Amino acid sequence: MNSISEFHRILGVTRPEHPLISVIHFEDLGTFAEEISEKVMYNFYMILLVKKFDGRIRYGQNFVDFDEGSASFFSPGQILSTDDNAKEGWILIIHPDFIRSHAFGKTIKNYGFFSYDIYEALFLSEKEETVLNGIIHNIEQEFKSNIDNFSQNIIISQVETLLNYADRFYNRQFITRKQINNDLLSKLDKILNEYFDSEQVQDNGLPKVENLARELHLSPNYLSDMLRSLTGLNTQQTIQHKLVEKAKETLASTTLSVSEIAFRLGFSHPQSFNKFFKSKTQLSPLAFRRSFN
């Protein structure tokens, strides 16, 4: 679906006041047209804040029930459907053409939560919800006023502010869900240890971020952002850190040659292993072994 006007139609609300950006409040929704229950690919950015929802939203093959005060972020090309009406909340819809010629059209891709799965929604406190509602009010006021040469920049700056707050709130969520995330860290560490202790690394090389995320039932971006928030390292850096620790352990506790260790750790050429190890430790593998002994 490429048209915001068409999206308004199937939701049973009045035509948008601006063709490229719109805010729909759930309490204004009419009866959904039949299309909304089908899987539809929406070719615009959407931000949903849902307070009460008598129904479920389907993302891919899964249904998700919303709790109170949760926000989700969708980029163009994602497929959604719903089977009932929300009672409170709003949807901010931004057509890519609205930001295409603006620098924000490129930087919006830096917000990783647009690639999170819907079950990785942002759960908001009342204070956080009030902040986002205030920004949405400002956006609405601007595009409902007389459009002038300043309107687009003002609206985009408000959207950027909203996303920056969302970034802050997600970081808070990573911290406040400490026990859940610590369990995930322990599970990730176990997965990586088992991988490097087996012959998989020799046969398949380093573990793939996508595969690790799948084993943890997370999206790759959510996993990387969670790890960065908790440890300072993204998933790829975490994998490399584990590889260095395994290399150190093997150098210190065995008499295997550097070439043998390199091949065991999935390197096709010992020179590549030497270069990698030195870049991470400032020592060559042999220098590390000598210093350890």
Side-chain angles (χ1 to χ4, degrees):
M1 180 178 298
N2 296 311
S3 166
I4 290 179
S5 294
E6 178 68 5
F7 187 56
H8 272 239
R9 184 191 67 78
I10 67 172
L11 288 178
V13 293
T14 57
R15 290 176 62 84
E17 298 186 50
H18 192 291
L20 298 179
I21 186 164
S22 177
V23 175
I24 297 174
H25 293 274
F26 289 128
E27 55 265 34
D28 297 331
L29 293 179
T31 302
F32 287 171
E34 185 177 345
E35 297 100 310
I36 199 68
S37 296
E38 303 298 326
K39 293 181 181 180
V40 179
M41 180 181 291
Y42 297 102
N43 291 316
F44 25 76
Y45 292 95
M46 290 196 296
I47 301 170
L48 280 72
L49 188 148
V50 181
K51 184 125 178 132
K52 293 179 182 178
F53 193 78
D54 291 343
R56 302 176 297 172
I57 283 180
R58 179 164 46 227
Y59 181 90
Q61 299 300 315
N62 299 315
F63 277 109
V64 179
D65 293 307
F66 278 101
D67 202 343
E68 290 199 356
S70 61
S72 298
F73 304 80
F74 307 99
S75 57
Q78 292 180 299
I79 297 174
L80 295 172
S81 66
T82 184
D83 70 346
D84 208 333
N85 293 334
K87 300 303 181 185
E88 290 184 27
W90 44 258
I91 311 172
L92 172 63
I93 310 140
I94 307 165
H95 197 287
D97 287 349
F98 186 72
I99 59 175
R100 197 179 303 280
S101 61
H102 196 281
F104 182 59
K106 294 181 179 179
T107 59
I108 193 172
K109 297 178 176 63
N110 297 334
Y111 294 96
F113 42 75
F114 277 107
S115 299
Y116 291 175
D117 284 336
I118 196 171
Y119 54 81
E120 296 160 340
L122 173 60
F123 296 98
L124 300 163
S125 68
E126 287 188 19
K127 183 178 179 180
E128 291 168 347
E129 189 180 325
T130 299
V131 169
L132 299 190
N133 286 338
I135 297 171
I136 286 296
H137 174 75
N138 293 340
I139 291 171
E140 283 189 281
Q141 289 297 106
E142 188 60 35
F143 71 69
K144 288 180 179 179
S145 302
N146 293 325
I147 299 298
D148 57 29
N149 292 333
F150 297 92
S151 299
Q152 184 183 28
N153 285 338
I154 291 172
I155 292 171
I156 288 175
S157 69
Q158 290 289 325
V159 174
E160 267 193 291
T161 300
L162 188 152
L163 296 181
N164 286 333
Y165 271 112
D167 217 2
R168 169 189 277 181
F169 299 158
Y170 257 118
N171 192 66
R172 182 271 310 155
Q173 181 164 296
F174 291 138
I175 295 169
T176 55
R177 301 180 74 190
K178 187 174 181 180
Q179 185 56 54
I180 295 171
N181 292 331
N182 282 344
D183 290 345
L184 286 170
L185 286 176
S186 297
K187 188 173 181 181
L188 175 61
D189 192 58
K190 181 173 183 289
I191 291 170
L192 289 174
N193 282 331
E194 290 175 351
Y195 189 91
F196 283 112
D197 288 340
S198 70
E199 295 182 356
Q200 292 183 73
V201 68
Q202 296 179 54
D203 298 334
N204 305 319
L206 293 181
K208 302 289 189 297
V209 172
E210 293 77 9
N211 294 340
L212 291 174
R214 191 180 306 115
E215 286 196 59
L216 294 168
H217 306 292
L218 299 173
S219 66
N221 274 12
Y222 188 91
L223 175 59
S224 276
D225 289 349
M226 180 196 73
L227 288 172
R228 191 183 293 109
S229 174
L230 297 176
T231 70
L233 303 176
N234 63 26
T235 311
Q236 193 63 52
Q237 291 167 332
T238 300
I239 293 168
Q240 292 177 352
H241 178 75
K242 179 61 69 174
L243 176 62
V244 170
E245 292 304 305
K246 186 64 179 176
K248 287 180 177 179
E249 176 188 323
T250 309
L251 285 164
S253 62
T254 74
T255 58
L256 293 171
S257 69
V258 171
S259 294
E260 289 174 313
I261 294 171
F263 291 130
R264 283 194 175 199
L265 294 178
F267 289 87
S268 301
H269 305 287
Q271 297 91 333
S272 300
F273 171 64
N274 274 276
K275 184 177 180 180
F276 170 79
F277 189 87
K278 192 168 185 178
S279 72
K280 300 299 181 183
T281 66
Q282 285 71 57
L283 292 171
S284 69
L286 284 178
F288 174 82
R289 177 173 268 169
R290 284 195 298 267
S291 69
F292 188 86
N293 293 330

